Structures are given as structure tokens and as C-alpha cells.
């Protein structure tokens, strides 16, 4: 691993990570469908999405989860330092054909274990003013 | 027909090995906006001590979904995929996945529960090398919405 860009000794719970805004459009969802193998049509076809009661095409929850953790990876400097990551999917990210959507991600350190050189980051992830991920927690290895 | 709760506790044999390829790691990283050079540049990855380019933190879902398919596509399980919503997901990495890894997944159906007309199914895919080195534990809960 690369040396961590942050050290556990200097880190305090409550530290805010630099946030980011991530645009997502239909092409991005097709790219993710191809890369991940998840070809569920609710992420591609608005008629199918509406038929199952959704307002429009929605992003793969797994796309949103992956896009959000970039805030953590950027901050720590090495994706291999993310040792665990979990979330609940609370609201879908609705992706209209025209203009797509924006996902806003911020992160905050909620716990630092100096002995184990690990920190827990909680992500706040919203789109169109709604929280789309719940209890999104990443643990990073700072050793 | 509802979801078959008799599947709770069921485990499946390990899947065929899945080869993590450099070009696929890069394509996945591009699709999720993962910017690190460690996803794309083998020299940078080796300089950081990895055997090859590093997969993004959620890449393991590619193999985990293949494991889940054994359950979801089994007509006996009674899961209508068009009514499936992803409820939650967790990854516990035992070491980072890198290009060149061969990954086998063993699927466990931890819980199948019915509540309020919906069903919740929690699966756990234990990902490892064919030699048995643990790589990642991927846990997923899906909600199968009832006919309203």
C-alpha cells in the first residue's frame, strides 16, 4: 500500500473530508451495467422502470455506493486502504433522460482507533435533496 | 407465489474461478468515477506494493452478483427479479483484489424473511482464491416487493 495520506495519531473524530458532486447520466448507467454485469432494465429503460412503480430510470444502488466511496479513497490516497464498506439504499437516484442527475457526497470521521490505526468515515449522500444512502460507513486502514 | 423461506440456511458449491482482468478493472473504475492511478497503472501499483492494478472497493460485487444469480435465477426460490430492490450491501475485504486474481465465490443464504407482504433475503458470498486465501466477504440484502 501507499503510505496513508492521513495518520491515525493526528486524526480526530469529527474531521470533515473534502466532498464532491458526481454527475450521472443514462450513458454512465449503461457503462456501469456493462462493467458490473447488472443489466436490470430499470436502470436503462424508463418504460420498464415506470411499469414497476418507479418515477423514471434509477441509478444502480451499487453505482451510487461505488461513486460515493471515492471521497474516502481520494482522502486516504489508496483504494486498497478501504478495508470495509457498507450501506443501506434508502432512496433511488432518479436519472432523467434529459440532463441526468447530480449526487452530492460529503464524509466525516466518526471514530478513530489509534491502536489498530483504523478510522471510520460516515458518508452523507444526497440527490435532488433526498438522502439516497443510509448508514454508509467505510473503515480505512491508516497503518 | 411467494419467496421460498426453505432456502434460508442453504449454501452452494464454490463457483468457477473468475479472473480479474486489468482492462476490466479500468472499465469498472471509469464507470464509477474512481480516479486513482492504482486502478490503471501496473507500474504505480507495483511501486505501492501490489502485485498488479487494484480493483475499486466495490468491484467484488461483480463476483458476488454471479454467486447471487444461483439463488435469484432458481425458479424454486420464487424470486421475481422485476420486483427486487437492493436493500443493503456490505464488503469486508480480507485483502485488496488485484488484476490476475482468480476468485471463487461460495454463496450462503443467511436469512429469508417475509414481513408486511414483502420478502427480505440476505445472502453472503465468501470470495477466496482457488487455493483458499480469503479475499472478501460480500453481504447483500434484497427486498422482493409483494404484489400491491
Amino acid at each position: 500500500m501507499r503510505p496513508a495520506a492521513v495518520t491515525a495519531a493526528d486524526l480526530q473524530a469529527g474531521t470533515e473530508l473534502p466532498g464532491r458532486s458526481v454527475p450521472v447520466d443514462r450513458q454512465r448507467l449503461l457503462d456501469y451495467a456493462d462493467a458490473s454485469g447488472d443489466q436490470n432494465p430499470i436502470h436503462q429503460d424508463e418504460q420498464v422502470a415506470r411499469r414497476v412503480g418507479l418515477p423514471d430510470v434509477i441509478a444502480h444502488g451499487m453505482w451510487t455506493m461505488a461513486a460515493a466511496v471515492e471521497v474516502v479513497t481520494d482522502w486516504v490516497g489508496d483504494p486498497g486502504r478501504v478495508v470495509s464498506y457498507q450501506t443501506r439504499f434508502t432512496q433511488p437516484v432518479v436519472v432523467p433522460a434529459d440532463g441526468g442527475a447530480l449526487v452530492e457526497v460529503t464524509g466525516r470521521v466518526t471514530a478513530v482507533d489509534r491502536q489498530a490505526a483504523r478510522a471510520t468515515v460516515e458518508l452523507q449522500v444526497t440527490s435532488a435533496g433526498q438522502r439516497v444512502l443510509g448508514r454508509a460507513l467505510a473503515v480505512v486502514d491508516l497503518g | 407465489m411467494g419467496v421460498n423461506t426453505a432456502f434460508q440456511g442453504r449454501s452452494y458449491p464454490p463457483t468457477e474461478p473468475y479472473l480479474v482482468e486489468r482492462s476490466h478493472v479500468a472499465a469498472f473504475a471509469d464507470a464509477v468515477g474512481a480516479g486513482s492511478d492504482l486502478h490503471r497503472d501496473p507500474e504505480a501499483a507495483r511501486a505501492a506494493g501490489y502485485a498488479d492494478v487494484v480493483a475499486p472497493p466495490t468491484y467484488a460485487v461483480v463476483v458476488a452478483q454471479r454467486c447471487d444469480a444461483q439463488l435469484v435465477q432458481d425458479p424454486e426460490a420464487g424470486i421475481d427479479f422485476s420486483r427486487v430492490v437492493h436493500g443493503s450491501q456490505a464488503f469486508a475485504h480480507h485483502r485488496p483484489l488485484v488484476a490476475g486474481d482468480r476468485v471463487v465465490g461460495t454463496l450462503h443464504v443467511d436469512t429469508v424473511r417475509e414481513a408486511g407482504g414483502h420478502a427480505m433475503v440476505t445472502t453472503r458470498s465468501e470470495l477466496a482464491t482457488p487455493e483458499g486465501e480469503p479475499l472478501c466477504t460480500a453481504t447483500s440484502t434484497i427486498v422482493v416487493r409483494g404484489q400491491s
Side-chain angles (χ1 to χ4, degrees), chain B residues 96-117:
Chain B
L97 282 175
V98 296
D101 277 334
R102 294 166 73 235
V103 186
V104 297
T106 305
L107 176 68
H108 304 273
V109 183
D110 282 347
T111 57
V112 180
R113 211 171 54 231
E114 288 190 292

Side-chain angles (χ1 to χ4, degrees), chain A residues 62 65 84-89, chain B residues 60-61 64-65 67-68 86-94 106-111 121-127 136-142:
Chain A
M62 288 307 305
M65 185 183 189
S84 70
Y85 182 32
Q86 64 174 66
T87 194
R88 291 201 299 255
F89 303 101
Chain B
V61 76
Q65 269 171 186
C67 292
D68 283 337
H86 203 172
S88 66
Q89 180 72 41
F91 300 98
H93 294 290
H94 308 301
T106 305
L107 176 68
H108 304 273
V109 183
D110 282 347
T111 57
V121 181
T122 299
T123 58
R124 173 170 47 91
S125 297
E126 296 288 356
L127 309 186
C136 180
T137 302
T139 309
S140 170
T141 297
I142 58 170

Side-chain angles (χ1 to χ4, degrees), chain A residues 1-2 20 28 31-32 35-38 40 52 62-63 65-67 69-70 73 78-80 82-89, chain B residues 24 28 30-39 44 48 50 57-58 61 65 81-82 86-93 96 145:
Chain A
M1 288 187 290
R2 278 185 179 147
R20 59 162 55 192
R28 180 48 66 104
D31 292 346
Y32 183 76
S36 69
D38 182 346
N40 189 327
V52 297
M62 288 307 305
W63 177 86
M65 185 183 189
V69 82
E70 268 301 288
T73 302
D78 183 333
V82 178
V83 292
S84 70
Y85 182 32
Q86 64 174 66
T87 194
R88 291 201 299 255
F89 303 101
Chain B
H24 189 233
F28 189 96
D30 286 347
V32 302
S36 175
D37 58 340
L38 296 176
H39 300 312
Y50 296 105
T58 67
V61 76
Q65 269 171 186
F81 194 61
S82 74
H86 203 172
S88 66
Q89 180 72 41
F91 300 98
H93 294 290
R145 295 182 297 163

Side-chain angles (χ1 to χ4, degrees), chain A residues 33-46:
Chain A
D34 288 341
S36 69
D38 182 346
Q39 298 285 355
N40 189 327
I42 63 171
H43 308 302
Q44 304 185 12
D45 182 334
E46 54 209 36

Side-chain angles (χ1 to χ4, degrees), chain B residues 16-71:
Chain B
E16 288 298 307
Y18 178 89
L19 176 64
V20 179
E21 294 186 79
R22 269 185 202 165
S23 59
H24 189 233
V25 168
F28 189 96
D30 286 347
V32 302
S36 175
D37 58 340
L38 296 176
H39 300 312
R40 299 171 177 85
D41 181 348
E43 292 308 315
R46 282 193 202 101
Y50 296 105
D52 208 314
V53 294
V54 183
T58 67
Y59 181 90
V61 76
V62 173
V63 189
Q65 269 171 186
R66 286 165 176 252
C67 292
D68 283 337
Q70 297 171 97
L71 170 71

